[in-house]
Amino acid sequence: GAGVSQSPSNKVTEKGKDVELRCDPISGHTALYWYRQSLGQGLEFLIYFQGNSAPDKSGLPSDRFSAERTGGSVSTLTIQRTQQEDSAVYLCASSAPGPLVEQFFGPGTRLTVL
Amino acid sequence: GNSVTQMEGPVTLSEEAFLTINCTYTATGYPSLFWYVQYPGEGLQLLLKATKADDKGSNKGFEATYRKETTSFHLEKGSVQVSDSAVYFCALKTGTASKLTFGTGTRLQVTL
């Protein structure tokens, strides 16, 4: 079946603009994660959604970052007033419920803030 | 907190050479350990995992053994191929938390 998809694949924006990144998880996966992959920082956890539970937002770096998941499926990560340090590849992953199940990753969105 | 340290890359090897990528960790609680691989232009994929001490994860000729006494999970392969060229990430998760803590990644380049 279809894997995790993300859009856009690339986004170039100017400093101060808002951006929205989209993630379509694998159908039936109740858990959805956002990670950020940047030079020198590796892969960092941002936020985690599980079903109807309150999301784990502990990895969001500032209040400029927010995410929502509508209808338990598609998720949007929003970055307001982008800064150059926000430039990174933003990865989305989804999984079935359970602590040891595999997380399936999307191809990522490469964000460049000029 | 949790953290993962893996060897700096890039690692450049000739085809059929032996590969070791070191990974050590610190964790609160009893972690499960993972290796993920990112091939050029593709998303992260789970390569192998181990959930308790002395477990050996294996896949595609790669192996890693969960060593609790040395808090390590080194990735090995006896004979690498050009197609193994990728970035390899060591990761862990603890308890009921589902988020993964990753190392910074090690780029492997295999040449003919």
Side-chain angles (χ1 to χ4, degrees):
Chain A
V4 177
S5 60
Q6 294 185 244
S7 61
S9 55
N10 280 284
K11 176 72 176 178
V12 180
T13 190
E14 293 179 348
K15 178 181 172 182
K17 301 282 190 183
D18 297 351
V19 295
E20 286 189 349
L21 312 179
R22 177 187 168 104
C23 172
D24 280 273
I26 292 172
S27 177
H29 279 187
T30 57
L32 187 147
Y33 313 77
W34 284 98
Y35 295 87
R36 178 169 70 175
Q37 185 176 17
S38 52
L39 284 174
Q41 297 293 323
L43 268 159
E44 306 169 273
F45 165 78
L46 296 177
I47 188 168
Y48 160 56
F49 296 90
Q50 173 58 58
N52 296 319
S53 302
D56 175 358
K57 303 179 182 180
S58 60
L60 294 178
S62 77
D63 59 6
R64 296 186 295 104
F65 288 71
S66 63
E68 63 177 19
R69 189 178 185 193
T70 53
S73 181
V74 171
S75 177
T76 302
L77 177 69
T78 301
I79 309 173
Q80 297 178 308
R81 305 181 302 281
T82 51
Q83 304 295 312
Q84 288 184 330
E85 61 263 28
D86 300 334
S87 296
V89 177
Y90 289 82
L91 295 172
C92 176
S94 71
S95 72
L100 296 177
V101 294
E102 180 178 352
Q103 294 183 21
F104 292 85
F105 284 79
T109 294
R110 181 176 296 279
L111 174 66
T112 303
V113 181
L114 301 177
Chain B
N2 296 339
S3 68
V4 176
T5 302
Q6 58 183 110
M7 60 191 292
E8 293 278 338
V11 173
T12 303
L13 294 173
S14 298
E15 200 169 47
E16 300 184 1
F18 184 86
L19 168 71
T20 300
I21 300 178
N22 290 336
C23 171
T24 57
Y25 66 88
T26 58
T28 53
Y30 200 113
S32 296
L33 303 173
F34 306 83
W35 277 99
Y36 278 80
V37 59
Q38 189 173 33
Y39 296 104
E42 298 184 18
L44 275 170
Q45 303 172 26
L46 178 65
L47 180 59
L48 53 85
K49 68 181 181 185
T51 59
K52 61 182 187 296
D54 300 324
D55 269 2
K56 179 184 284 187
S58 61
N59 187 24
K60 299 182 181 180
F62 290 89
E63 294 183 338
T65 301
Y66 189 143
R67 299 289 188 199
K68 194 168 187 288
E69 64 277 14
T70 55
T71 61
S72 65
F73 193 54
H74 304 322
L75 182 68
E76 296 181 336
K77 186 174 185 181
S79 176
V80 294
Q81 306 299 310
V82 172
S83 58
D84 294 326
S85 298
V87 181
Y88 293 81
F89 293 89
C90 186
L92 66 83
K93 65 166 74 171
T94 54
T96 57
S98 291
K99 64 183 180 185
L100 289 162
T101 299
F102 286 92
T104 53
T106 302
R107 181 176 299 278
L108 171 65
Q109 181 71 43
V110 181
T111 59
L112 290 170

